[in-house]
Amino acid sequence: MSGWLSQVIDQDYLLQARQMQALSFAVHIPLVCFGMALPTLILFLEWRAMRTGQEVYRTLARRWSRILVALFAVGVVTGTVLSFEMGLLWPQFVGTFGSVFGLGFAIEGFSFFVEAIFIGVYVYGWDRLSPRWHFASGIPIVLTGVTGSFMVITVNAWMNNPSGFRLQNGQVVDVDPVRALFANPFLWHEFVHMYIAAFMVTGFLIAGCYAVSMLRGRTTPYHRVALAVPLTAASVAAPAQIVVGDWAARTVGEQQPVKLAALEGLGATTSGAPVHLLGWYVDGEVRYGIEIPRLLSLLAYHDPDSTVRGLLSFPPEDLPPVNVVRIAFQTMVGIGSALALLAVIFLYIRIRAHRLPASRWFYRAVVLAGPAAVVALIAGWVTTEVGRQPWVVYGVMRTNEAVTAASGIPIGYAVLAAIYLGVVVGVGWILHRLAIRPLPADPPPRELVEEGVP
Amino acid sequence: MTVLQVLPMVAVLVGLVLYTVLANADLGTGVWQLTAGSGERAHQVRAHIYRAIGPIWEANHVWLIFVLTVLWTAYPQAFASLASTLVVPLFIAGIGIVLRGTAYALHGATNGPGDHPEVDLVFALSSLITPFALGAAVGAVASGRVPAGPVPGDIITSWLGPTSLLVGVLAVAGGAFLAAVQLAAEAARLGEVEMAERFRLRALLSGVVAGIVAIAGAFVVSVDAPALAHGLLDGAGRSAVVVSAVAGVATLVLVWTRRAHAARFVAAVAVAALVAGWALAQGPTLLPGLTVQQAAAPYNTLLAVTVSIVAGAVIVGPSLALLFGLVLGGRMDRPVDVPETAVPARPPRDRRMLGRGAVGLFVAGAVLVVFASGAVLMTVGLLLVLVAVVAGFVAVGPADLGLDTDDGTGSGTLFT
């Protein structure tokens, strides 16, 4: 059973396998955001309802809990596909390192379990449990949304900054899974970055839906609260994300210098390295970009004259695809900055004037902010995961040593792409149907009484 | 062989039993969806099915994730071999799971069964494909068609052997039986005598079919996988097979005498005994040439997995008991009247100070995160930023949005 490692697999469709995995993540991760952030928003509304007796909060909490369970159901199955794909696409990765990182997913499985159980209790328990117990049954959903994503990120952080084992003749020895997963400097910034991103994605997307209603003239208290609560959550998160992002980039600069160089398209090792906005990396330099002198040195090491290692100083076979990483990074940062600006405008008007913004342009911007936040989320994951290439376990195992030898990857990719297109359309249809359900009382809908389906 | 090397495999098998009993009963409803026909009675049958699987649906399917994650952590090389050879049935099962979950979510947004028949059809068909594909994969392992090691077996013939087809069909038939028993019990609990009777007949029919498949299976296995047959019929697995058969017959008798509630527990025993029999017949071999002991991960990992499983069981067990208690106890059936409690009106608070404080904390925290050197100051800065985020959310709040004064007509006064 030895010698699994360091064998390049004869697989003509490695790129397709990677794209298939990326597609699966891109469909799953926005759903994860809802699982992480939406329970908190729903519980906040339910708590306000208990405190104030205002029915509008309760109505909203109820309606959003139906969205939660629909998205969670799709999240369960797309997550199951990911766990299948770990083995189906990357058997040598799991076979060699499963004993090191697998624990993270095992604990995540339990977390997911508790989440699923209490989502059942919470969503089906409206009017069946006393208000206090109903509220209490939502708390485990909030907590497990955090722990589940935390455990998945322990594994991703380990892939980017592996430790907790030694290699001997292609076998892992001295395995310490607890140290591998939890004693990792990458874990914390990745987790906090993702947790905040979840609130931005969820908050801006939900607020965007109600911004459409507002632009159409529906400005009842129901619509105002439905817009204000998620938009406030996203708006307090957005500026914090810039601070956390700075921290994340500096940690990457220390631990994965090649990724930092790729983010900025820095060819030669440079003292007083600049940042380029836009442009295209070719032959060791960024062309057609707007240069801001010394900014990279300043941001990365807090010294405008410090030396930043460039891409050309690394072996060519160890470089990620620079333009993909760089464009994804700039997309994330650009959208994140724009969202933070929108957030600050909103917060300023809310705190100073005690009202909602009165400009139609503001609401048009909020409508755009939701999809933009999803694009930034996926661009961020592209940055870190494509930036990790050509390694699956950074510096230890290459992606082309991990991939399956099985044929037929293009067929699987095509089938999955077609089905996921259907899933995306289906989710859109579900959200639309739930949104057009009549207001305001929202009594238990017919099938809740007749069938018990939320 | 140390205990730690075997315990995770026991947990995997327990997970497999629970997945078979709980999720396959869910999946088995696909047969009854598909055969419900059309008209008012069919509508009632479909509505009953969706209602019964409601609150427990999500949790049932997590058992599969549990099985996969424990398998790849504790027996990584065996998992890699399984995934390399059984790539086709596992992919089909994955697709089936996606289609079924999406169809279930779609159903929640329709106006009930029949509103969008194509949703019901996808739901039913994917409910058949998934257990067949997973059963075929199990059959491939049981008949020794999945080689250990980096060179995969045949990705087509490995899961289309006689034992695979047998286990696949048995999974579908057994699932249909379990589903019918559950649905009969659920209807009886709700006092719907006619519905209970319909599913009693379906349970008896599918139970007999599943029994015939199982008996025929003994001959198939003895030809296709003699070693497994020996283990099951003459060796260590024999008593388990006997228990399974007795429990299967007892389930049928209980259904016949309209005691479906008890029948579902006895049916679970039949499934558990069958899986245990397979494990005893095949053990200690996991895959040809690879024992459970050889496949097991290093000591530290086994210890960590076992501790996690025990800790997880301590948390998941009572949670699951709560959910099943609420559902089976009828608490989720109909609304209870909650007495209106008068909430005393509170004077609105001025949150401007809190807002300023949040901005101050945010700036201080941001400066620390960006410029501080050393983990302690950095952590303090991060915590300050996070406190500022929460304080900012509270300071803004939704309290001043005119909930008390608005007449609810939305007269469009928002825009200037």
Side-chain angles (χ1 to χ4, degrees), chain A residues 1 51 54 81 91 99 102 127-128 175 224 247 250 302 350 354 419 446-447 451, chain B residues 51 73 80 95 98 107 110-111 300-301 331 336 343 369-370 378 397 400-401 404 406:
Chain A
M1 291 301 299
R51 283 270 301 226
Q54 301 270 12
V81 166
S99 61
D127 299 331
R128 272 90 172 146
V175 176
R224 285 187 227 170
W247 167 36
R250 276 184 289 120
H302 292 153
R350 285 292 287 127
H354 280 283
I419 288 194
R446 190 188 54 75
E447 74 264 42
E451 317 167 38
Chain B
R51 176 179 57 189
T73 308
I95 293 297
V98 167
H107 169 78
T110 65
N111 295 320
N300 282 338
T301 303
R331 280 294 296 275
V336 291
V343 180
V369 170
V370 176
M378 170 87 211
D400 56 345
L401 292 170
D404 300 325
D406 199 283

mmCIF file of all heavy atoms in Angstrom, chain A residues 1 51 54 81 91 99 102 127-128 175 224 247 250 302 350 354 419 446-447 451, chain B residues 51 73 80 95 98 107 110-111 300-301 331 336 343 369-370 378 397 400-401 404 406:
data_model
loop_
_atom_site.group_PDB
_atom_site.id
_atom_site.type_symbol
_atom_site.label_atom_id
_atom_site.label_comp_id
_atom_site.label_asym_id
_atom_site.label_seq_id
_atom_site.Cartn_x
_atom_site.Cartn_y
_atom_site.Cartn_z
ATOM 1 N N MET A 1 0.817 -1.200 0.000
ATOM 2 C CA MET A 1 0.000 0.000 0.000
ATOM 3 C C MET A 1 0.862 1.267 0.000
ATOM 4 O O MET A 1 0.380 2.352 0.221
ATOM 5 C CB MET A 1 -0.886 0.050 1.254
ATOM 6 C CG MET A 1 -1.977 -0.986 1.274
ATOM 7 S SD MET A 1 -3.100 -0.854 -0.111
ATOM 8 C CE MET A 1 -3.777 0.780 0.146
ATOM 9 N N ARG A 51 -39.849 40.977 22.377
ATOM 10 C CA ARG A 51 -39.614 42.168 23.197
ATOM 11 C C ARG A 51 -40.672 43.234 22.973
ATOM 12 O O ARG A 51 -41.088 43.910 23.899
ATOM 13 C CB ARG A 51 -38.241 42.762 22.861
ATOM 14 C CG ARG A 51 -37.089 41.999 23.461
ATOM 15 C CD ARG A 51 -36.759 42.539 24.826
ATOM 16 N NE ARG A 51 -36.412 43.948 24.784
ATOM 17 C CZ ARG A 51 -35.377 44.478 25.398
ATOM 18 N NH1 ARG A 51 -34.559 43.701 26.065
ATOM 19 N NH2 ARG A 51 -35.145 45.763 25.337
ATOM 20 N N GLN A 54 -44.496 43.486 18.372
ATOM 21 C CA GLN A 54 -44.833 43.901 17.002
ATOM 22 C C GLN A 54 -44.921 42.670 16.101
ATOM 23 O O GLN A 54 -43.960 41.907 15.989
ATOM 24 C CB GLN A 54 -43.751 44.825 16.444
ATOM 25 C CG GLN A 54 -43.524 46.068 17.250
ATOM 26 C CD GLN A 54 -44.415 47.206 16.798
ATOM 27 O OE1 GLN A 54 -45.349 46.988 16.023
ATOM 28 N NE2 GLN A 54 -44.150 48.398 17.292
ATOM 29 N N VAL A 81 -22.603 16.114 -2.248
ATOM 30 C CA VAL A 81 -21.860 15.937 -3.501
ATOM 31 C C VAL A 81 -20.384 16.280 -3.297
ATOM 32 O O VAL A 81 -19.487 15.574 -3.780
ATOM 33 C CB VAL A 81 -22.471 16.804 -4.615
ATOM 34 C CG1 VAL A 81 -21.526 16.911 -5.796
ATOM 35 C CG2 VAL A 81 -23.784 16.214 -5.063
ATOM 36 N N PRO A 91 -8.832 10.836 -5.150
ATOM 37 C CA PRO A 91 -8.671 9.696 -4.235
ATOM 38 C C PRO A 91 -7.292 9.648 -3.567
ATOM 39 O O PRO A 91 -7.183 9.262 -2.405
ATOM 40 C CB PRO A 91 -8.911 8.482 -5.141
ATOM 41 C CG PRO A 91 -8.720 8.967 -6.531
ATOM 42 C CD PRO A 91 -9.130 10.403 -6.518
ATOM 43 N N SER A 99 -6.083 10.703 7.060
ATOM 44 C CA SER A 99 -5.871 10.558 8.500
ATOM 45 C C SER A 99 -5.422 11.861 9.136
ATOM 46 O O SER A 99 -5.500 12.020 10.347
ATOM 47 C CB SER A 99 -4.843 9.457 8.764
ATOM 48 O OG SER A 99 -3.613 9.799 8.174
ATOM 49 N N GLY A 102 -8.992 14.513 7.820
ATOM 50 C CA GLY A 102 -10.367 13.996 7.802
ATOM 51 C C GLY A 102 -11.164 14.323 9.045
ATOM 52 O O GLY A 102 -12.374 14.533 8.979
ATOM 53 N N ASP A 127 -45.716 28.025 16.335
ATOM 54 C CA ASP A 127 -47.054 27.819 16.898
ATOM 55 C C ASP A 127 -47.232 26.445 17.537
ATOM 56 O O ASP A 127 -48.295 26.142 18.046
ATOM 57 C CB ASP A 127 -48.165 27.983 15.833
ATOM 58 C CG ASP A 127 -48.164 29.373 15.250
ATOM 59 O OD1 ASP A 127 -47.761 30.309 15.966
ATOM 60 O OD2 ASP A 127 -48.541 29.517 14.079
ATOM 61 N N ARG A 128 -46.214 25.595 17.436
ATOM 62 C CA ARG A 128 -46.327 24.291 18.092
ATOM 63 C C ARG A 128 -45.596 24.300 19.427
ATOM 64 O O ARG A 128 -45.962 23.590 20.341
ATOM 65 C CB ARG A 128 -45.734 23.181 17.217
ATOM 66 C CG ARG A 128 -46.735 22.578 16.247
ATOM 67 C CD ARG A 128 -46.724 23.307 14.940
ATOM 68 N NE ARG A 128 -47.531 22.651 13.931
ATOM 69 C CZ ARG A 128 -48.202 23.334 13.008
ATOM 70 N NH1 ARG A 128 -48.196 24.656 13.019
ATOM 71 N NH2 ARG A 128 -48.888 22.694 12.096
ATOM 72 N N VAL A 175 1.432 11.411 12.756
ATOM 73 C CA VAL A 175 0.243 12.214 12.475
ATOM 74 C C VAL A 175 -0.341 12.770 13.775
ATOM 75 O O VAL A 175 -0.522 12.045 14.744
ATOM 76 C CB VAL A 175 -0.818 11.354 11.759
ATOM 77 C CG1 VAL A 175 -2.085 12.149 11.551
ATOM 78 C CG2 VAL A 175 -0.277 10.859 10.442
ATOM 79 N N ARG A 224 -39.869 48.059 5.191
ATOM 80 C CA ARG A 224 -38.752 48.832 5.743
ATOM 81 C C ARG A 224 -37.902 47.990 6.685
ATOM 82 O O ARG A 224 -36.679 48.010 6.619
ATOM 83 C CB ARG A 224 -39.302 50.031 6.515
ATOM 84 C CG ARG A 224 -39.809 51.105 5.599
ATOM 85 C CD ARG A 224 -40.170 52.296 6.422
ATOM 86 N NE ARG A 224 -41.468 52.797 6.017
ATOM 87 C CZ ARG A 224 -42.133 53.720 6.673
ATOM 88 N NH1 ARG A 224 -41.639 54.198 7.792
ATOM 89 N NH2 ARG A 224 -43.278 54.140 6.231
ATOM 90 N N TRP A 247 -5.386 41.867 7.172
ATOM 91 C CA TRP A 247 -4.730 40.873 8.028
ATOM 92 C C TRP A 247 -4.471 39.586 7.244
ATOM 93 O O TRP A 247 -3.368 39.026 7.270
ATOM 94 C CB TRP A 247 -5.632 40.652 9.247
ATOM 95 C CG TRP A 247 -5.327 39.468 10.110
ATOM 96 C CD1 TRP A 247 -4.097 38.956 10.421
ATOM 97 C CD2 TRP A 247 -6.288 38.657 10.793
ATOM 98 N NE1 TRP A 247 -4.245 37.879 11.265
ATOM 99 C CE2 TRP A 247 -5.569 37.680 11.504
ATOM 100 C CE3 TRP A 247 -7.683 38.668 10.880
ATOM 101 C CZ2 TRP A 247 -6.205 36.716 12.291
ATOM 102 C CZ3 TRP A 247 -8.311 37.718 11.667
ATOM 103 C CH2 TRP A 247 -7.572 36.760 12.358
ATOM 104 N N ARG A 250 -1.641 39.954 4.699
ATOM 105 C CA ARG A 250 -0.303 39.989 5.293
ATOM 106 C C ARG A 250 0.136 38.599 5.762
ATOM 107 O O ARG A 250 1.296 38.232 5.627
ATOM 108 C CB ARG A 250 -0.264 40.993 6.452
ATOM 109 C CG ARG A 250 -0.011 42.421 5.946
ATOM 110 C CD ARG A 250 0.130 43.410 7.062
ATOM 111 N NE ARG A 250 -1.150 43.655 7.729
ATOM 112 C CZ ARG A 250 -1.377 43.419 9.015
ATOM 113 N NH1 ARG A 250 -0.422 42.939 9.776
ATOM 114 N NH2 ARG A 250 -2.554 43.664 9.535
ATOM 115 N N HIS A 302 4.459 47.168 5.929
ATOM 116 C CA HIS A 302 4.370 48.459 6.626
ATOM 117 C C HIS A 302 5.638 49.276 6.473
ATOM 118 O O HIS A 302 6.013 50.045 7.364
ATOM 119 C CB HIS A 302 4.037 48.257 8.112
ATOM 120 C CG HIS A 302 2.654 47.725 8.311
ATOM 121 N ND1 HIS A 302 2.276 46.982 9.393
ATOM 122 C CD2 HIS A 302 1.557 47.817 7.538
ATOM 123 C CE1 HIS A 302 1.005 46.635 9.285
ATOM 124 N NE2 HIS A 302 0.555 47.133 8.159
ATOM 125 N N ARG A 350 -28.624 56.304 8.728
ATOM 126 C CA ARG A 350 -29.449 55.659 9.768
ATOM 127 C C ARG A 350 -29.174 56.256 11.145
ATOM 128 O O ARG A 350 -30.109 56.493 11.914
ATOM 129 C CB ARG A 350 -29.175 54.157 9.809
ATOM 130 C CG ARG A 350 -29.783 53.346 8.693
ATOM 131 C CD ARG A 350 -31.294 53.284 8.753
ATOM 132 N NE ARG A 350 -31.804 52.439 9.815
ATOM 133 C CZ ARG A 350 -32.682 52.814 10.719
ATOM 134 N NH1 ARG A 350 -33.156 54.031 10.708
ATOM 135 N NH2 ARG A 350 -33.104 51.982 11.654
ATOM 136 N N HIS A 354 -31.910 59.044 11.524
ATOM 137 C CA HIS A 354 -32.979 58.152 11.993
ATOM 138 C C HIS A 354 -33.996 57.822 10.921
ATOM 139 O O HIS A 354 -35.201 57.778 11.182
ATOM 140 C CB HIS A 354 -33.712 58.765 13.193
ATOM 141 C CG HIS A 354 -32.960 58.584 14.463
ATOM 142 N ND1 HIS A 354 -32.913 57.403 15.144
ATOM 143 C CD2 HIS A 354 -32.188 59.445 15.139
ATOM 144 C CE1 HIS A 354 -32.153 57.542 16.206
ATOM 145 N NE2 HIS A 354 -31.683 58.778 16.228
ATOM 146 N N ILE A 419 -26.999 19.605 -14.312
ATOM 147 C CA ILE A 419 -27.867 19.452 -13.150
ATOM 148 C C ILE A 419 -27.779 20.671 -12.238
ATOM 149 O O ILE A 419 -28.784 21.159 -11.728
ATOM 150 C CB ILE A 419 -27.510 18.147 -12.426
ATOM 151 C CG1 ILE A 419 -28.011 17.002 -13.314
ATOM 152 C CG2 ILE A 419 -28.101 18.095 -11.042
ATOM 153 C CD1 ILE A 419 -28.078 15.687 -12.695
ATOM 154 N N ARG A 446 -51.575 26.625 3.592
ATOM 155 C CA ARG A 446 -52.437 25.464 3.500
ATOM 156 C C ARG A 446 -51.694 24.153 3.746
ATOM 157 O O ARG A 446 -52.091 23.328 4.547
ATOM 158 C CB ARG A 446 -53.084 25.455 2.112
ATOM 159 C CG ARG A 446 -54.186 24.436 1.942
ATOM 160 C CD ARG A 446 -54.605 24.376 0.496
ATOM 161 N NE ARG A 446 -53.459 24.124 -0.360
ATOM 162 C CZ ARG A 446 -52.868 22.937 -0.463
ATOM 163 N NH1 ARG A 446 -53.316 21.940 0.234
ATOM 164 N NH2 ARG A 446 -51.829 22.779 -1.252
ATOM 165 N N GLU A 447 -50.567 23.996 3.061
ATOM 166 C CA GLU A 447 -49.940 22.684 3.169
ATOM 167 C C GLU A 447 -49.236 22.476 4.495
ATOM 168 O O GLU A 447 -48.908 21.365 4.857
ATOM 169 C CB GLU A 447 -48.989 22.412 1.990
ATOM 170 C CG GLU A 447 -47.702 23.157 2.040
ATOM 171 C CD GLU A 447 -47.813 24.425 1.217
ATOM 172 O OE1 GLU A 447 -48.858 25.090 1.305
ATOM 173 O OE2 GLU A 447 -46.875 24.734 0.501
ATOM 174 N N GLU A 451 -50.097 19.173 5.281
ATOM 175 C CA GLU A 451 -49.009 18.226 5.068
ATOM 176 C C GLU A 451 -47.835 18.413 6.006
ATOM 177 O O GLU A 451 -46.974 17.557 6.086
ATOM 178 C CB GLU A 451 -48.399 18.361 3.673
ATOM 179 C CG GLU A 451 -49.317 18.515 2.540
ATOM 180 C CD GLU A 451 -48.491 18.944 1.347
ATOM 181 O OE1 GLU A 451 -47.368 18.446 1.200
ATOM 182 O OE2 GLU A 451 -48.965 19.793 0.603
ATOM 183 N N ARG B 51 -46.049 14.967 3.974
ATOM 184 C CA ARG B 51 -46.244 15.388 5.359
ATOM 185 C C ARG B 51 -45.405 14.536 6.310
ATOM 186 O O ARG B 51 -44.774 15.039 7.230
ATOM 187 C CB ARG B 51 -47.732 15.262 5.732
ATOM 188 C CG ARG B 51 -47.997 15.601 7.181
ATOM 189 C CD ARG B 51 -49.456 15.500 7.506
ATOM 190 N NE ARG B 51 -49.971 14.171 7.209
ATOM 191 C CZ ARG B 51 -51.261 13.849 7.237
ATOM 192 N NH1 ARG B 51 -52.154 14.772 7.519
ATOM 193 N NH2 ARG B 51 -51.653 12.633 6.971
ATOM 194 N N THR B 73 -11.458 9.352 7.226
ATOM 195 C CA THR B 73 -10.520 9.748 8.267
ATOM 196 C C THR B 73 -9.839 8.526 8.870
ATOM 197 O O THR B 73 -8.618 8.500 9.034
ATOM 198 C CB THR B 73 -11.256 10.513 9.379
ATOM 199 O OG1 THR B 73 -12.011 11.550 8.794
ATOM 200 C CG2 THR B 73 -10.261 11.107 10.367
ATOM 201 N N ALA B 80 -10.041 5.632 -0.465
ATOM 202 C CA ALA B 80 -9.524 6.025 -1.781
ATOM 203 C C ALA B 80 -9.746 4.910 -2.801
ATOM 204 O O ALA B 80 -10.116 5.171 -3.952
ATOM 205 C CB ALA B 80 -8.041 6.370 -1.671
ATOM 206 N N ILE B 95 -25.745 12.372 -7.801
ATOM 207 C CA ILE B 95 -26.684 13.101 -8.655
ATOM 208 C C ILE B 95 -28.122 12.866 -8.171
ATOM 209 O O ILE B 95 -28.933 13.793 -8.082
ATOM 210 C CB ILE B 95 -26.529 12.652 -10.125
ATOM 211 C CG1 ILE B 95 -25.156 13.079 -10.667
ATOM 212 C CG2 ILE B 95 -27.648 13.211 -10.991
ATOM 213 C CD1 ILE B 95 -24.934 14.560 -10.711
ATOM 214 N N VAL B 98 -28.787 14.973 -5.152
ATOM 215 C CA VAL B 98 -28.995 16.392 -5.494
ATOM 216 C C VAL B 98 -30.393 16.609 -6.058
ATOM 217 O O VAL B 98 -31.117 17.527 -5.650
ATOM 218 C CB VAL B 98 -27.948 16.863 -6.526
ATOM 219 C CG1 VAL B 98 -28.352 18.210 -7.116
ATOM 220 C CG2 VAL B 98 -26.593 16.981 -5.889
ATOM 221 N N HIS B 107 -40.717 21.332 -3.865
ATOM 222 C CA HIS B 107 -42.061 20.980 -3.420
ATOM 223 C C HIS B 107 -42.548 21.946 -2.351
ATOM 224 O O HIS B 107 -43.719 22.326 -2.335
ATOM 225 C CB HIS B 107 -42.095 19.554 -2.881
ATOM 226 C CG HIS B 107 -43.387 19.245 -2.180
ATOM 227 N ND1 HIS B 107 -44.540 18.966 -2.868
ATOM 228 C CD2 HIS B 107 -43.714 19.258 -0.867
ATOM 229 C CE1 HIS B 107 -45.528 18.791 -1.997
ATOM 230 N NE2 HIS B 107 -45.047 18.974 -0.787
ATOM 231 N N THR B 110 -44.263 24.811 -3.834
ATOM 232 C CA THR B 110 -45.446 24.628 -4.674
ATOM 233 C C THR B 110 -46.698 24.681 -3.808
ATOM 234 O O THR B 110 -46.613 24.785 -2.584
ATOM 235 C CB THR B 110 -45.426 23.270 -5.403
ATOM 236 O OG1 THR B 110 -45.516 22.243 -4.416
ATOM 237 C CG2 THR B 110 -44.167 23.085 -6.208
ATOM 238 N N ASN B 111 -47.823 24.578 -4.443
ATOM 239 C CA ASN B 111 -49.074 24.580 -3.689
ATOM 240 C C ASN B 111 -49.507 23.167 -3.331
ATOM 241 O O ASN B 111 -50.682 22.897 -3.174
ATOM 242 C CB ASN B 111 -50.167 25.275 -4.495
ATOM 243 C CG ASN B 111 -49.841 26.734 -4.698
ATOM 244 O OD1 ASN B 111 -49.344 27.390 -3.784
ATOM 245 N ND2 ASN B 111 -50.081 27.227 -5.885
ATOM 246 N N ASN B 300 -2.953 8.315 16.640
ATOM 247 C CA ASN B 300 -3.474 9.628 17.052
ATOM 248 C C ASN B 300 -4.783 9.959 16.364
ATOM 249 O O ASN B 300 -5.700 10.525 16.968
ATOM 250 C CB ASN B 300 -2.452 10.726 16.722
ATOM 251 C CG ASN B 300 -1.334 10.769 17.727
ATOM 252 O OD1 ASN B 300 -1.495 10.296 18.852
ATOM 253 N ND2 ASN B 300 -0.198 11.309 17.321
ATOM 254 N N THR B 301 -4.862 9.617 15.073
ATOM 255 C CA THR B 301 -6.073 9.917 14.318
ATOM 256 C C THR B 301 -7.234 9.070 14.823
ATOM 257 O O THR B 301 -8.343 9.580 15.028
ATOM 258 C CB THR B 301 -5.838 9.647 12.821
ATOM 259 O OG1 THR B 301 -4.726 10.443 12.394
ATOM 260 C CG2 THR B 301 -7.062 9.991 12.002
ATOM 261 N N ARG B 331 -46.495 16.604 18.774
ATOM 262 C CA ARG B 331 -46.395 18.033 19.084
ATOM 263 C C ARG B 331 -46.326 18.892 17.820
ATOM 264 O O ARG B 331 -46.673 20.065 17.839
ATOM 265 C CB ARG B 331 -45.153 18.310 19.948
ATOM 266 C CG ARG B 331 -45.334 18.006 21.412
ATOM 267 C CD ARG B 331 -46.354 18.928 22.077
ATOM 268 N NE ARG B 331 -45.936 20.317 22.090
ATOM 269 C CZ ARG B 331 -45.157 20.855 23.011
ATOM 270 N NH1 ARG B 331 -44.717 20.111 23.993
ATOM 271 N NH2 ARG B 331 -44.826 22.118 22.955
ATOM 272 N N VAL B 336 -50.700 25.028 18.764
ATOM 273 C CA VAL B 336 -51.250 25.194 20.108
ATOM 274 C C VAL B 336 -51.591 26.669 20.286
ATOM 275 O O VAL B 336 -50.983 27.537 19.669
ATOM 276 C CB VAL B 336 -50.237 24.765 21.191
ATOM 277 C CG1 VAL B 336 -50.029 23.278 21.146
ATOM 278 C CG2 VAL B 336 -48.917 25.495 21.027
ATOM 279 N N VAL B 343 -47.014 43.075 26.022
ATOM 280 C CA VAL B 343 -45.633 43.510 26.154
ATOM 281 C C VAL B 343 -45.639 44.984 26.538
ATOM 282 O O VAL B 343 -46.234 45.796 25.841
ATOM 283 C CB VAL B 343 -44.871 43.326 24.830
ATOM 284 C CG1 VAL B 343 -43.436 43.781 24.971
ATOM 285 C CG2 VAL B 343 -44.944 41.883 24.399
ATOM 286 N N VAL B 369 -5.191 45.944 14.599
ATOM 287 C CA VAL B 369 -5.061 44.810 13.684
ATOM 288 C C VAL B 369 -4.020 45.111 12.608
ATOM 289 O O VAL B 369 -3.183 44.276 12.261
ATOM 290 C CB VAL B 369 -6.424 44.474 13.016
ATOM 291 C CG1 VAL B 369 -6.245 43.460 11.887
ATOM 292 C CG2 VAL B 369 -7.391 43.928 14.044
ATOM 293 N N VAL B 370 -4.036 46.340 12.097
ATOM 294 C CA VAL B 370 -3.148 46.655 10.978
ATOM 295 C C VAL B 370 -1.713 46.879 11.434
ATOM 296 O O VAL B 370 -0.767 46.411 10.796
ATOM 297 C CB VAL B 370 -3.685 47.885 10.206
ATOM 298 C CG1 VAL B 370 -2.715 48.289 9.097
ATOM 299 C CG2 VAL B 370 -5.049 47.576 9.617
ATOM 300 N N MET B 378 -2.840 41.970 18.439
ATOM 301 C CA MET B 378 -3.586 41.665 17.225
ATOM 302 C C MET B 378 -4.963 41.080 17.575
ATOM 303 O O MET B 378 -5.993 41.479 17.018
ATOM 304 C CB MET B 378 -2.717 40.643 16.484
ATOM 305 C CG MET B 378 -3.302 39.979 15.341
ATOM 306 S SD MET B 378 -3.019 40.977 13.916
ATOM 307 C CE MET B 378 -4.474 40.485 13.083
ATOM 308 N N GLY B 397 -30.189 49.409 14.684
ATOM 309 C CA GLY B 397 -31.460 48.763 15.017
ATOM 310 C C GLY B 397 -32.608 49.108 14.071
ATOM 311 O O GLY B 397 -32.498 50.007 13.248
ATOM 312 N N ASP B 400 -36.668 52.500 14.981
ATOM 313 C CA ASP B 400 -37.173 53.843 14.660
ATOM 314 C C ASP B 400 -37.767 53.909 13.251
ATOM 315 O O ASP B 400 -37.780 54.964 12.634
ATOM 316 C CB ASP B 400 -36.030 54.846 14.782
ATOM 317 C CG ASP B 400 -34.857 54.457 13.891
ATOM 318 O OD1 ASP B 400 -34.838 53.295 13.437
ATOM 319 O OD2 ASP B 400 -33.976 55.289 13.645
ATOM 320 N N LEU B 401 -38.231 52.788 12.748
ATOM 321 C CA LEU B 401 -38.688 52.799 11.356
ATOM 322 C C LEU B 401 -40.173 53.105 11.227
ATOM 323 O O LEU B 401 -40.806 52.778 10.239
ATOM 324 C CB LEU B 401 -38.356 51.469 10.687
ATOM 325 C CG LEU B 401 -36.855 51.268 10.499
ATOM 326 C CD1 LEU B 401 -36.544 49.857 10.066
ATOM 327 C CD2 LEU B 401 -36.314 52.261 9.478
ATOM 328 N N ASP B 404 -44.938 52.260 14.811
ATOM 329 C CA ASP B 404 -46.097 52.618 15.622
ATOM 330 C C ASP B 404 -47.027 53.572 14.901
ATOM 331 O O ASP B 404 -48.231 53.529 15.073
ATOM 332 C CB ASP B 404 -45.633 53.260 16.933
ATOM 333 C CG ASP B 404 -44.770 52.307 17.718
ATOM 334 O OD1 ASP B 404 -45.059 51.101 17.659
ATOM 335 O OD2 ASP B 404 -43.810 52.758 18.344
ATOM 336 N N ASP B 406 -47.181 54.174 11.476
ATOM 337 C CA ASP B 406 -47.577 53.921 10.090
ATOM 338 C C ASP B 406 -48.946 53.263 10.030
ATOM 339 O O ASP B 406 -49.283 52.424 10.847
ATOM 340 C CB ASP B 406 -46.540 53.028 9.416
ATOM 341 C CG ASP B 406 -46.631 53.114 7.922
ATOM 342 O OD1 ASP B 406 -47.552 52.494 7.364
ATOM 343 O OD2 ASP B 406 -45.783 53.788 7.326
#
